[in-house]
Amino acid sequence: MAEGASNQYREVTRDHLEKFGADGLRTLCLAYRRLTAEVYESWNEKFIQAKSALRDREKKIDEVAELIEKDLILLGCTAIEDKLQEGVPNCIETLSRAGIKIWMLTGDKLETAINIAYACSLVNNETKQFVLNSDVKEIRDIEDRGDAVMTAQAVSSLVKQRMEEYLDEAERVADDVDMALVIDGRCLMYALDPLIGRGTLLKLCMLCKAVVCCRVSPLQKAQVTTLIKDDAKKITLSIGDGANDVSMIQAAHIGVGISGQEGMQAVMASDFAIAQFRYLKELLLVHGRWSYIRITKVVAYFFYKNLAFTLTQFWFTLYTGFSGQRFYDDWFQSLYNVLFTALPVIVVGIFDQDVNAKTSIKFPELYKAGIYNLFFKWRVIMLWLVGATYQSLVFFYFPISVAQSAQNYSARMLGVWDVSTLAYTCILMTVNLRLMMASSSLTKWHLISVGGSIGGWFVFASVYSGIQVSFIQENIYWVMFTLLGTWFFWFLLLLVPVVALSLDLLVLLFQRWFFPYDFQILQEHGKFDSDDYESRTLLDHRPSTVEEQRRIQMAQLPKERSKHTGFSFDSPGFESFFAQQSGVPPPAKSWDIARRASMKHPRQSTGRKSRH
Amino acid sequence: MATTANAATTTPGSAIARNEVKPQSQKPIYTRFSQQEMHACKPLMTPARIVAVFMTVGVVFIPIGIATLLASTSVVELVDHYGHACLDNSAAQVNQSLRTREERISFIKNPSNPKNCTRTIRILKLMKQPIYMYYEITNFHQNHHRYVKSKSEPQLQGQQASPEQLKICAPEDSVGGQPVIPCGLVAWSFFNDTYSLALNNGTSVPVNKKGIAWKSDMDKVSSTVYASNFQNNNPSAYIGGGKLPVDSPLRDNEDLWVWMRPAALSKFRKLWGRIERDLYPGDELQVNIQNVYNCFSFNGQKKLVLSTTSWMGGKNNFVGTAYLTIGLLCVALAIGFFFMYYSHPRPLGNTKQFSWNNEKQVKQRGFQSTQPRTILR
C-alpha cells in the first residue's frame, strides 16, 4: 500500500473489515494504481518470461507480480454475504455426534472464519478457543520494517511459544471442556514444520473438538490433510466445492466434491460428488455405514465358506494315505465359488441393511462401530473361522459315516464320488443358510439367489451326472440320481446343516442376549419399543421435575448468548449491525425473550459463569 | 439420471406458455430398488421365537431318529474275520505253520499251495431274505490318488485307445507291446476270493451274483469290450488280483464293476452276492472260501459280512443316534434358553443399553476414545 493520503483510511478500513468479519461476511479490499503504457509493457515482458520459465516458475511469477503490485492506493472494502447452505449446522452437529472430528479450512480471514464456525455449530459458546493469529500488532510492526527474515523469525517463535502454551493448557483441561483451535495460514506454515511445531500441532489438534484454519492456501489445505493422514494415521475425508479445494480432496483418503455454482473442478477430482453439503450426512451415516457392514460381512463370510469347503477336503486326505486325492469332483470344485455360492454373497453385499436409513440418521452414534472397527476385530474373524473348522468336521465325518454300510434297500455300496457329492450338497446348503443367518434383512433377492443357487446345483449335478462323454473321467456318471434315490441323502441333508449351524447359532444367541451391539438393540427397538422417539431425549433418565423439563426445552432453543450471534444471516446480529449504524435498535425476538426468562433460574452443575 | 419435463400451460390460449418447459429435474426415478427400501423380512431372534424354534427342531428330529434307529437295529449283521485264520488252516493242510508276515505272503503267493478253507457261521437271529454277502477289506486305500485315476474310460467305452491315452494306467497299460484291457491299477487289483455256501445239513445255499453292481457302472461300459492281455500267464509277472474270462464281454462281469467303484475309506466292504432264502436261528452256515487274495502285503484284513437290509440300507446306527441326540439336545436347549431368558431378562430395544450411554461398555469394548459425553450438560 502506498504511503500518504490513503493512510487515514487504513485504520478505519481495518476496523470495518473486522466488523464485517465478525458478522460473517466475506470481505474484499479494493485498491488501485495508475500505470502508463511503457511501464506496463516493460513489466509485461518480464511477466511473459516468468510465465514461460522452465524452473521455479511459481517463484518467478511471484517475484514479477511483486514488482507491479506496489504503491497501490486504498479505495475501501466490500463485504459479501456468502450464505451457508441449508442444513449445514445440523449436518455438522450430527457428524460430530457420530464421532467424526470436523475441521474447517478456509481462505477467509480469521473473524469471518470464526463466525462461520459458530454458524455451523462447529464451535459454541462453551468451547474453549485457542487462537493462533499472526495478524497481531507486534508482527505487523516488524513486518512494516520490511525485514523478511526478522518477520519470519518473529512469527516462528510466536507460533512455537503459543502452541506449547496451548498444548499444556489443553492437556490440563482435556476432560472437562470442548476445545477448538483457530489457526492462521501463516502460523500454519510454521506449525507444520517438523522442527518448529508439527508434533505439538498434532497433539493439540487431536485434543480439540474442532479446528478452524483460516487464510489457508490450497497447498496448505492439502498439507493439513496429509498431516492427519500420515502422521496421525487417521482416516480423512475432504469435502469442498471450488478449484482451490482440489488438492485437499486429492490428498485425503476420501474426497467429496460438491457440485454447484463454483464449477466442476472439485467434482472431477473427487471420489464422491454430492449436490449439497448436507447430503454428506446420508453419504456417511447411511451409505458409508452400510458399506462398512456389508464389506466386513462379505469378507468374513468368504473366508469362512472357503475354509469350510477346503478343510473338509483336508480331513479326507488323512484317509487317503496322504496321496492328495481330491475329495470333490473337479468341476464341482471349480464351480463352487463361481456358480453355487457367488450370487447370494453379491446380493448380501448389495442389499444388506442392519437398520434402515432413517434410523441410521437418527442415531449417528452407530457410526462409531465403524470408527472402532468393531465388526472386523480379530475375535470376530476368529469366531467365523472356528465355526468353519467345526463345520468342516461335521461336513466330512457325517457323510463318511454313511460310507461304512450299504445305502439303500438295494444294498449296493456307495463309492467315494457318491460320498463326496453328498458332502458337497450338504456344504452348499449349510453355507448358504449361514449367510442368511448372518444377514439382517432378507429381501426377495436373497431368497431367489439362495434358492437359485441350491436349485441350480441340483440341476447342474443332474445334468452332469446324466451325460456321458468319453474324454473326461466318468466318475460322476449317475451319481446324483443314485443319491436322490437314497434315504441317507435326504436325512443327512436335513441333519448336517442343523448340526453344523448349531454352534454358530448358539454363539450368536449368547452374544445377542448378553452383549448386544447397538444396532441389534435398535433392531429390537424398531419392532418392540412403542415409545415415540421424537419426544424422547437420549438421556439415561427421564426428566422428572418441572425444572429439568424446562431446562431441556430451553436447551433446544437456538443458543444466542454471545457477541457471536451464532447465525450470520437471518439473525438479529446481522440486522443489528446496520441498524446500529443508522441508530435504530433491533426488534426483540421471541427466543431472546425466552432466553431472558430462563436467566431467572439458576444454572446447575457446571460451575462456570455463562457468557452473555 | 431421469429427467422430467413439465409443460407449463398456465393460461389457455397463450402460445408462449404452451412452449415453456420447466427446467428439467435431475432427480433420479424413485424405485424401491434404487433407494434400497425394498420390502424386507427382518427376522428377529426374540426369546419366544428361539425357544419355539429349538422345540420344533427337537420335536421333528426325535421321531426321525427313533425311526431310523429302529430300522438300523432291525438289520442283522454277521461278520467273520477269515483272512489270517483261513490261511493258517490252509497251511496246516500242508503241514506248514506261518508265523511271520513274510511267510504268509510267500505262502499265499505260491500257486501250488492250497488256498481253501471252511468257516462256520452260526445264525443267531432270524434273517429274512434277501440276505446280502459282502467282503470287507481294511487298510486298502482305494481312494489313493494314483489308484483312483488309474483306469481308462475311452478303453472301457470300446474305443481304440492310443498309447498316450493309456499312459494314465501305467504301469498296467501294456504288456509286451500289447495294451492291457482293462488297463489300470483298479482292474489289476481285482478281488478274487470266492465263497460257496452250504447249510450244516448239506443243502447248498445258492448265491445270486446278478444285480450286485450299480447298473450305471455297467452302462458306462460298451458290450464290445473283452478282456485281453490281462494278468497274463507269465509266472514272473506281478499278479495283482483275479483273472478275467476272455470269452465273455467285460460288461457282464459284475464283480469287476463292483470292485472298480472306488471306495471312500481304506476300510470298505463290497457286495459279493445275494442269498435268496431265509436263514433261521440255529442254522450253521458252512462257507467254503477260496482264500487267494493277498491282503498281507498291505497289512490288511479280510472279512466276510452277511447282512439283511431295511428301507434305510445296511446297519448304520450313526444317523439314528445323531438324530436322536440332536433332537434331545434341542429340547434341552429350548428348556435351557427358556430359563436363561427368564432369569436374565433384558428389555428388548432398551436404549439405555447403548454403548455410548454406558461408560463401562465403552471401556470394555476397547474404545480408544476416552471422552464419553452425555448429550446435555
Side-chain angles (χ1 to χ4, degrees):
Chain A
M1 292 278 173
E3 295 292 333
S6 62
N7 229 7
Q8 52 179 295
Y9 297 120
R10 263 179 153 193
E11 289 305 319
V12 177
T13 313
R14 182 167 284 120
D15 212 27
H16 281 170
L17 280 173
E18 276 183 20
K19 285 224 187 77
F20 283 152
D23 287 328
L25 304 170
R26 300 184 97 167
T27 54
L28 254 164
C29 267
L30 297 166
Y32 78 99
R33 179 186 167 204
R34 281 224 155 82
L35 294 174
T36 60
E38 300 90 46
V39 171
Y40 175 71
E41 285 302 320
S42 70
W43 177 84
N44 200 25
E45 273 171 29
K46 295 191 199 113
F47 189 58
I48 291 174
Q49 266 187 355
K51 263 207 292 192
S52 45
L54 294 169
R55 277 193 292 219
D56 290 338
R57 184 182 307 172
E58 300 278 344
K59 200 162 149 230
K60 290 198 175 115
I61 292 182
D62 276 343
E63 281 169 7
V64 173
E66 279 292 309
L67 288 177
I68 201 160
E69 286 171 10
K70 54 183 188 183
D71 294 335
L72 298 161
I73 302 170
L74 179 65
L75 278 177
C77 66
T78 61
I80 320 171
E81 173 188 352
D82 195 1
K83 239 182 146 71
L84 263 188
Q85 283 184 357
E86 60 171 295
V88 170
N90 184 354
C91 174
I92 290 187
E93 224 175 322
T94 316
L95 290 181
S96 23
R97 267 173 66 190
I100 300 174
K101 288 227 172 105
I102 304 190
W103 295 21
M104 185 165 90
L105 311 170
T106 173
D108 297 332
K109 59 202 288 333
L110 190 90
E111 290 82 13
T112 317
I114 292 183
N115 195 289
I116 303 225
Y118 273 97
C120 301
S121 343
L122 212 52
V123 299
N124 55 31
N125 292 314
E126 284 141 358
T127 313
K128 187 171 180 55
Q129 292 180 24
F130 298 124
V131 180
L132 251 180
N133 189 8
S134 74
D135 198 19
V136 290
K137 196 164 186 324
E138 304 91 49
I139 304 287
R140 258 181 276 154
D141 288 338
I142 300 179
E143 213 176 354
D144 285 339
R145 281 184 238 146
D147 190 346
V149 175
M150 287 265 335
T151 325
Q153 274 181 348
V155 178
S156 154
S157 61
L158 168 78
V159 164
K160 191 172 180 133
Q161 182 201 6
R162 279 291 167 78
M163 293 251 288
E164 273 163 18
E165 274 174 27
Y166 288 156
L167 182 62
D168 284 334
E169 197 181 340
E171 277 169 351
R172 265 189 296 121
V173 297
D175 288 329
D176 304 324
V177 300
D178 288 333
M179 292 175 286
L181 173 69
V182 182
I183 187 164
D184 182 79
R186 196 150 70 156
C187 295
L188 195 60
M189 188 167 66
Y190 295 100
L192 285 173
D193 191 336
L195 296 171
I196 300 177
R198 199 179 175 100
T200 329
L201 177 68
L202 197 58
K203 282 188 219 152
L204 187 56
C205 289
M206 287 293 109
L207 289 171
C208 291
K209 177 184 155 210
V211 173
V212 177
C213 305
C214 48
R215 282 265 181 265
V216 283
S217 66
L219 178 62
Q220 278 177 323
K221 286 185 186 177
Q223 282 174 338
V224 168
T225 315
T226 319
L227 171 76
I228 301 303
K229 190 169 130 172
D230 294 340
D231 292 2
K233 304 265 190 300
K234 303 277 181 196
I235 307 290
T236 52
L237 180 147
S238 286
I239 178 165
D241 62 353
N244 57 347
D245 298 321
V246 165
S247 48
M248 170 176 79
I249 286 175
Q250 287 178 334
H253 283 110
I254 309 158
V256 178
I258 304 182
S259 67
Q261 276 119 353
E262 294 216 17
M264 300 297 269
Q265 283 104 327
V267 166
M268 288 196 282
S270 62
D271 301 315
F272 294 96
I274 53 182
Q276 297 183 24
F277 184 91
R278 65 191 165 104
Y279 296 157
L280 189 63
K281 200 166 55 165
E282 271 90 4
L283 182 67
L284 288 179
L285 298 181
V286 176
H287 298 291
R289 207 176 58 80
W290 281 348
S291 189
Y292 172 68
I293 285 171
R294 288 167 185 164
I295 288 180
T296 52
K297 206 170 273 192
V298 164
V299 169
Y301 173 75
F302 234 92
F303 277 103
Y304 149 80
K305 82 170 154 94
N306 279 298
L307 190 66
F309 183 72
T310 311
L311 271 184
T312 312
Q313 195 158 235
F314 178 75
W315 305 129
F316 183 59
T317 63
L318 302 178
Y319 292 85
T320 65
F322 298 100
S323 65
Q325 169 61 25
R326 283 187 287 281
F327 192 39
Y328 314 108
D329 179 66
D330 294 336
W331 278 95
F332 293 162
Q333 186 155 358
S334 313
L335 292 175
Y336 176 71
N337 273 319
V338 174
L339 214 55
F340 302 124
T341 53
L343 269 184
V345 185
I346 294 178
V347 168
V348 167
I350 300 178
F351 294 129
D352 193 49
Q353 299 175 11
D354 55 348
V355 290
N356 62 8
K358 270 194 343 201
T359 320
S360 306
I361 299 211
K362 254 195 236 172
F363 296 93
E365 289 86 354
L366 285 175
Y367 193 78
K368 289 190 181 162
I371 298 180
Y372 301 132
N373 203 12
L374 280 185
F375 302 140
F376 215 61
K377 289 210 172 308
W378 265 116
R379 58 167 179 259
V380 174
I381 304 291
M382 287 318 290
L383 268 177
W384 278 99
L385 300 183
V386 164
T389 313
Y390 161 76
Q391 288 187 18
S392 70
L393 287 169
V394 171
F395 292 144
F396 180 68
Y397 282 103
F398 277 48
I400 278 294
S401 73
V402 152
Q404 302 294 350
S405 69
Q407 300 333 305
N408 58 9
Y409 59 89
S410 73
R412 301 187 198 113
M413 300 299 299
L414 291 184
V416 66
W417 303 112
D418 309 290
V419 173
S420 85
T421 312
L422 169 58
Y424 193 97
T425 315
C426 293
I427 293 182
L428 267 189
M429 292 274 310
T430 312
V431 297
N432 280 324
L433 287 176
R434 179 71 181 92
L435 185 62
M436 295 300 104
M437 222 167 86
S439 304
S440 309
S441 73
L442 302 176
T443 64
K444 69 175 185 214
W445 296 107
H446 289 83
L447 301 176
I448 291 176
S449 61
V450 167
S453 295
I454 297 181
W457 154 250
F458 278 104
V459 167
F460 176 81
S462 305
V463 168
Y464 186 38
S465 307
I467 58 174
Q468 192 173 5
V469 189
S470 64
F471 51 83
I472 48 173
Q473 286 237 304
E474 283 297 326
N475 299 319
I476 302 293
Y477 183 69
W478 218 255
V479 161
M480 199 61 199
F481 301 111
T482 310
L483 282 179
L484 288 174
T486 317
W487 277 107
F488 268 109
F489 177 71
W490 299 106
F491 281 141
L492 237 56
L493 207 56
L494 180 59
L495 180 68
V496 167
V498 170
V499 177
L501 292 177
S502 58
L503 186 70
D504 283 301
L505 186 66
L506 285 176
V507 170
L508 213 64
L509 289 175
F510 271 114
Q511 179 264 316
R512 217 193 161 99
W513 192 250
F514 291 114
F515 312 104
Y517 285 117
D518 297 319
F519 76 88
Q520 288 173 335
I521 301 178
L522 274 174
Q523 282 173 336
E524 293 163 6
H525 179 90
K527 274 185 179 301
F528 289 97
D529 205 340
S530 57
D531 276 351
D532 175 24
Y533 240 94
E534 308 301 294
S535 61
R536 281 188 63 165
T537 58
L538 290 175
L539 282 182
D540 41 4
H541 63 278
R542 265 193 209 273
S544 47
T545 65
V546 173
E547 163 55 33
E548 276 181 301
Q549 278 180 347
R550 169 192 244 100
R551 201 157 71 80
I552 289 165
Q553 279 158 18
M554 283 299 121
Q556 283 172 343
L557 292 173
K559 297 180 179 45
E560 299 259 24
R561 288 180 232 138
S562 79
K563 172 169 91 79
H564 291 279
T565 57
F567 295 98
S568 315
F569 333 99
D570 311 321
S571 70
F574 178 50
E575 291 171 0
S576 65
F577 171 71
F578 293 106
Q580 203 184 346
Q581 295 288 70
S582 41
V584 174
K589 298 284 177 170
S590 54
W591 57 76
D592 236 14
I593 300 174
R595 173 179 61 88
R596 274 185 237 125
S598 74
M599 298 302 178
K600 304 244 172 70
H601 296 268
R603 216 147 282 273
Q604 295 179 11
S605 82
T606 53
R608 278 183 292 116
K609 287 212 193 106
S610 60
R611 295 161 51 203
H612 298 302
Chain B
M1 280 191 287
T3 57
T4 56
N6 301 323
T9 51
T10 43
T11 53
S14 155
I16 304 166
R18 239 177 276 134
N19 291 337
E20 238 174 64
V21 287
K22 285 221 181 79
Q24 294 190 327
S25 163
Q26 307 270 33
K27 206 171 171 182
I29 306 177
Y30 173 83
T31 58
R32 283 190 164 267
F33 184 87
S34 68
Q35 293 301 317
Q36 303 215 21
E37 286 171 7
M38 290 188 292
H39 295 293
C41 158
K42 303 199 184 199
L44 197 62
M45 300 188 211
T46 61
R49 286 188 201 171
I50 296 296
V51 173
V53 162
F54 275 118
M55 271 310 238
T56 318
V57 170
V59 160
V60 166
F61 272 27
I62 292 180
I64 298 180
I66 294 177
T68 47
L69 208 54
L70 280 178
S72 175
T73 47
S74 74
V75 167
V76 186
E77 193 182 80
L78 298 166
V79 180
D80 179 39
H81 288 62
Y82 70 84
H84 286 57
C86 212
L87 200 70
D88 289 345
N89 194 328
S90 310
Q93 288 174 25
V94 288
N95 294 325
Q96 281 185 36
S97 82
L98 308 169
R99 274 172 298 241
T100 64
R101 185 169 147 244
E102 287 72 25
E103 286 178 5
R104 293 206 165 96
I105 292 175
S106 60
F107 184 89
I108 201 164
K109 274 185 173 174
N110 192 339
S112 54
N113 283 333
K115 307 275 177 49
N116 60 337
C117 71
T118 308
R119 303 278 298 166
T120 310
I121 300 178
R122 210 167 258 116
I123 312 289
L124 298 167
K125 282 165 71 166
L126 170 67
M127 293 172 80
K128 292 190 93 58
Q129 59 118 351
I131 304 170
Y132 293 91
M133 280 179 67
Y134 302 87
Y135 54 89
E136 185 172 308
I137 304 184
T138 62
N139 211 19
F140 190 103
H141 286 271
Q142 272 206 323
N143 52 18
H144 194 282
H145 182 50
R146 275 206 69 190
Y147 187 93
V148 170
K149 68 177 186 177
S150 179
K151 58 178 188 278
S152 169
E153 302 282 350
Q155 193 187 62
L156 293 174
Q157 286 172 15
Q159 297 170 15
Q160 281 293 99
S162 64
E164 284 75 41
Q165 278 181 310
L166 290 184
K167 272 256 174 334
I168 201 171
C169 294
E172 295 304 320
D173 49 349
S174 63
V175 172
Q178 292 294 321
V180 174
I181 302 175
C183 78
L185 288 169
V186 192
W188 175 81
S189 56
F190 180 36
F191 186 79
N192 57 349
D193 279 6
T194 49
Y195 316 95
S196 67
L197 300 172
L199 286 175
N200 50 351
N201 59 9
T203 48
S204 78
V205 179
V207 178
N208 189 346
K209 292 198 46 81
K210 285 268 172 275
I212 53 175
W214 291 101
K215 186 162 171 307
S216 54
D217 282 349
M218 289 164 57
D219 283 345
K220 273 198 287 188
V221 183
S222 155
S223 50
T224 59
V225 179
Y226 285 77
S228 95
N229 223 354
F230 184 75
Q231 312 263 42
N232 61 8
N233 290 317
N234 188 348
S236 62
Y238 201 36
I239 307 261
K243 296 203 169 43
L244 290 171
V246 293
D247 46 359
S248 64
L250 215 51
R251 183 185 175 144
D252 295 338
N253 192 332
E254 298 208 16
D255 280 317
L256 181 64
W257 305 120
V258 171
W259 180 255
M260 294 272 284
R261 197 179 181 92
L265 295 178
S266 62
K267 172 179 152 186
F268 58 87
R269 53 173 77 159
K270 289 185 183 288
L271 188 57
W272 193 80
R274 193 161 56 238
I275 302 174
E276 277 157 345
R277 54 160 292 166
D278 295 344
L279 291 176
Y280 298 96
D283 282 348
E284 279 189 10
L285 207 56
Q286 306 283 348
V287 188
N288 193 342
I289 305 177
Q290 278 293 107
N291 182 19
V292 284
Y293 196 70
N294 177 13
C295 65
F296 306 101
S297 294
F298 55 84
N299 250 335
Q301 292 178 354
K302 285 191 290 188
K303 303 174 205 175
L304 178 66
V305 179
L306 290 168
S307 165
T308 56
T309 57
S310 64
W311 56 272
M312 278 273 292
K315 194 173 196 65
N316 191 333
N317 290 337
F318 179 81
V319 173
T321 325
Y323 263 102
L324 208 54
T325 319
I326 301 296
L328 290 172
L329 208 65
C330 281
V331 173
L333 276 174
I335 298 174
F337 270 105
F338 177 76
F339 279 115
M340 181 183 96
Y341 291 138
Y342 191 71
S343 61
H344 287 92
R346 169 170 84 78
L348 289 175
N350 181 13
T351 57
K352 294 185 208 147
Q353 277 197 300
F354 283 143
S355 57
W356 59 85
N357 278 341
N358 185 345
E359 254 197 66
K360 182 173 80 131
Q361 273 202 33
V362 168
K363 291 202 168 60
Q364 236 180 26
R365 286 252 160 98
F367 294 172
Q368 293 112 356
S369 158
T370 54
Q371 297 181 0
R373 295 244 175 277
T374 54
I375 306 298
L376 284 188
R377 289 180 191 285

